[in-house]
Amino acid sequence: MPRPLRIAAHTELASLTVLLANVATVHLPDVSALAGPVHGCAHLLVVLLTVRAPGADGRTKLCALIPGVGGLLASRRYERAPTSGHRGCPPARLSG
């Protein structure tokens, strides 16, 4: 999986964790004002990077839509997918 997708996925999860911890504890408006847009941008970036990833199947793209953990699920599915048909090249044949 491309490195930008992994970074965006971890940023999405971390910012959601900050938002939920803030709501559960002291609920500081400044923390919400900062972490909210960061989470939203990271989530959009995860979705866009997953949709544009070569060889990402429909389920991988659907995983990316899940807020918070979708990016990590999508990156895991993408990394574990077989690569035989993803690059557009047929597998090499050994002659001999």
Side-chain angles (χ1 to χ4, degrees):
M1 180 52 59
R3 183 180 171 136
L5 179 58
R6 276 185 271 150
I7 293 170
H10 287 287
T11 303
E12 179 187 13
L13 181 60
S15 61
L16 181 62
T17 304
V18 169
L19 282 170
L20 294 176
N22 183 42
V23 168
T25 57
V26 292
H27 193 51
L28 297 173
D30 292 337
V31 173
S32 297
L34 178 66
V38 169
H39 174 68
C41 289
H43 181 62
L44 286 175
L45 189 59
V46 162
V47 171
L48 289 174
L49 289 172
T50 303
V51 167
R52 294 181 50 103
D57 63 354
R59 287 186 180 185
T60 303
K61 293 174 185 178
L62 284 175
C63 283
L65 294 175
I66 301 170
V69 297
L72 296 175
L73 293 173
S75 66
R76 175 179 277 182
R77 280 188 55 84
Y78 187 81
E79 288 173 355
R80 291 186 179 184
T83 58
S84 60
H86 290 292
R87 306 293 180 238
C89 299
R93 293 187 182 175
L94 299 175
S95 60

